Amino acid sequence: MSPAAAFAPTELRRGALACLEIAEPEAKLAAVQALAHAARYRKAPLPIDPAVRLEPARALPGRPAKPELVPVRSLAQRSVHTRPGRAALLHAIAHIEFNAINLALDAIWRFAGMPPAYYKGWLLVADEEAQHFALLVEHLRTLGHRYGDFPAHDGLWSMVERTAGDVLARMALVPRTLEARGLDATPPLQAKLREAGDERAAEILGVILRDEVGHVSIGNHWYRWLCKRAKLDPVATYAELAERHDAPKPRPPLNLDARAAAGFTAAELDALKR
């Protein structure tokens, strides 16, 4: 029996936690696919219990023993014009996508009391991040490498942990800050990969960029929904949360078109530019 067939979720948030606890990448991808399929395509929709308080059975997130996690400054800089350099770059992006699967699953199970559309939106994100990870790993194999062959850093998940007690901070600082940085970084990376002759890698990054606009848009939507519910100003509140949680500042060049398409307002873009 395949991992997807063996995984039979009965409720969406419990299913997301079960996926998050899985360490082996292939099994996690299969479980996420099964959860998304159960939520979208079966005759009786998968129920969502927004009120239940869940407790993980093991340490989170589930992930394999490799890659080794090291401080970001310890990672070697490699040229994309060499085969090992391109492999290292794609491995780093694959690691970001694997973490992004986990953060979307965490956003589902951890935060009770949100509308059903919130949970469905983050399940879509988890499913698409899983597809991105699979595309990158497949291309990585053509360069003679697997996921886990290079060390990686844990910056994305560390912000997930710092915002674990506050859904407003999570929406502000993970999708709208860390993931939005990918909107800025991807076009220059595509240009470098094309210059190095790796058109397939550039195409994969194009798929990721297209989908990430939607993912950041989901974060923007729920951030503003939460601000409205609490009668908070989104721009001022973001600045306060970013300072409180030591969020990284955006680095130019900013992809203003992609950020606008993802729902950043003119006032927010002006604040980011400053």
Side-chain angles (χ1 to χ4, degrees), residues 86-174:
R86 288 199 304 280
L89 171 63
L90 293 173
H91 185 277
I93 299 170
H95 181 67
I96 291 170
E97 297 301 311
F98 188 76
N99 268 316
I101 301 167
N102 286 333
L103 75 85
L105 295 170
D106 192 84
I108 296 169
W109 84 265
R110 186 176 296 277
F111 299 113
M114 295 293 285
Y118 166 90
Y119 302 109
K120 292 177 182 177
W122 285 109
L123 178 59
L124 171 66
V125 174
D127 190 25
E128 291 183 345
E129 302 289 17
Q131 294 172 39
H132 300 165
F133 178 77
L135 287 171
L136 289 162
V137 169
E138 180 183 12
H139 190 55
L140 198 56
R141 289 194 192 102
T142 69
L143 299 175
H145 289 278
R146 299 178 301 170
Y147 179 60
D149 282 357
F150 299 91
H153 71 85
D154 206 27
L156 188 57
W157 187 258
S158 66
M159 182 60 79
V160 170
E161 292 178 330
R162 300 209 300 270
T163 57
D166 184 354
V167 65
L168 178 63
R170 174 68 64 84
M171 293 300 104
L173 302 178
V174 176

Side-chain angles (χ1 to χ4, degrees), residues 74-91:
S74 300
L75 297 174
Q77 298 295 313
R78 302 168 187 253
S79 170
V80 297
H81 293 280
T82 68
R83 189 182 181 93
R86 288 199 304 280
L89 171 63
L90 293 173
H91 185 277

Side-chain angles (χ1 to χ4, degrees), residues 1 3-11 15 18 31 34-35 38 42 46:
M1 182 180 292
F7 185 75
T10 57
E11 191 272 331
L35 183 64
R42 72 183 192 184
L46 192 67

Side-chain angles (χ1 to χ4, degrees), residues 11-270:
E11 191 272 331
L12 193 149
R13 293 182 61 225
R14 287 184 176 87
L17 178 55
C19 291
L20 183 59
E21 291 174 332
I22 296 171
E24 199 280 315
E26 186 176 347
K28 188 187 292 282
L29 265 58
V32 169
Q33 182 184 42
L35 183 64
H37 188 274
R40 291 181 203 161
Y41 302 119
R42 72 183 192 184
K43 291 181 181 178
L46 192 67
I48 302 171
D49 187 346
V52 67
R53 301 284 175 172
L54 300 171
E55 291 293 334
R58 51 186 61 86
L60 298 178
R63 53 187 169 193
K66 288 189 174 184
E68 177 190 4
L69 300 179
V70 300
V72 64
R73 60 183 176 274
S74 300
L75 297 174
Q77 298 295 313
R78 302 168 187 253
S79 170
V80 297
H81 293 280
T82 68
R83 189 182 181 93
R86 288 199 304 280
L89 171 63
L90 293 173
H91 185 277
I93 299 170
H95 181 67
I96 291 170
E97 297 301 311
F98 188 76
N99 268 316
I101 301 167
N102 286 333
L103 75 85
L105 295 170
D106 192 84
I108 296 169
W109 84 265
R110 186 176 296 277
F111 299 113
M114 295 293 285
Y118 166 90
Y119 302 109
K120 292 177 182 177
W122 285 109
L123 178 59
L124 171 66
V125 174
D127 190 25
E128 291 183 345
E129 302 289 17
Q131 294 172 39
H132 300 165
F133 178 77
L135 287 171
L136 289 162
V137 169
E138 180 183 12
H139 190 55
L140 198 56
R141 289 194 192 102
T142 69
L143 299 175
H145 289 278
R146 299 178 301 170
Y147 179 60
D149 282 357
F150 299 91
H153 71 85
D154 206 27
L156 188 57
W157 187 258
S158 66
M159 182 60 79
V160 170
E161 292 178 330
R162 300 209 300 270
T163 57
D166 184 354
V167 65
L168 178 63
R170 174 68 64 84
M171 293 300 104
L173 302 178
V174 176
R176 300 180 77 249
T177 301
L178 298 186
E179 290 195 278
R181 292 172 77 182
L183 304 181
D184 305 326
T186 298
L189 288 177
Q190 286 179 288
K192 288 181 180 180
L193 288 165
R194 287 196 171 101
E195 186 180 309
D198 197 334
E199 184 62 33
R200 177 55 182 157
E203 289 174 359
I204 293 170
L205 292 194
V207 172
I208 293 173
L209 178 60
R210 178 199 68 199
D211 292 345
E212 291 296 339
V213 169
H215 302 173
V216 176
S217 178
I218 289 170
N220 267 322
H221 172 81
W222 291 109
Y223 172 71
R224 276 196 273 278
W225 184 90
L226 288 159
C227 284
K228 184 177 180 180
R229 185 176 70 172
K231 297 183 171 60
L232 298 171
D233 174 73
V235 176
T237 300
Y238 176 80
E240 292 169 8
L241 291 169
E243 183 175 358
R244 184 187 311 163
H245 294 279
D246 194 26
K249 292 178 173 58
R251 292 193 295 258
L254 300 179
N255 189 342
L256 297 178
D257 290 341
R259 283 177 175 266
F264 284 91
T265 65
E268 287 170 329
L269 292 174
D270 285 342

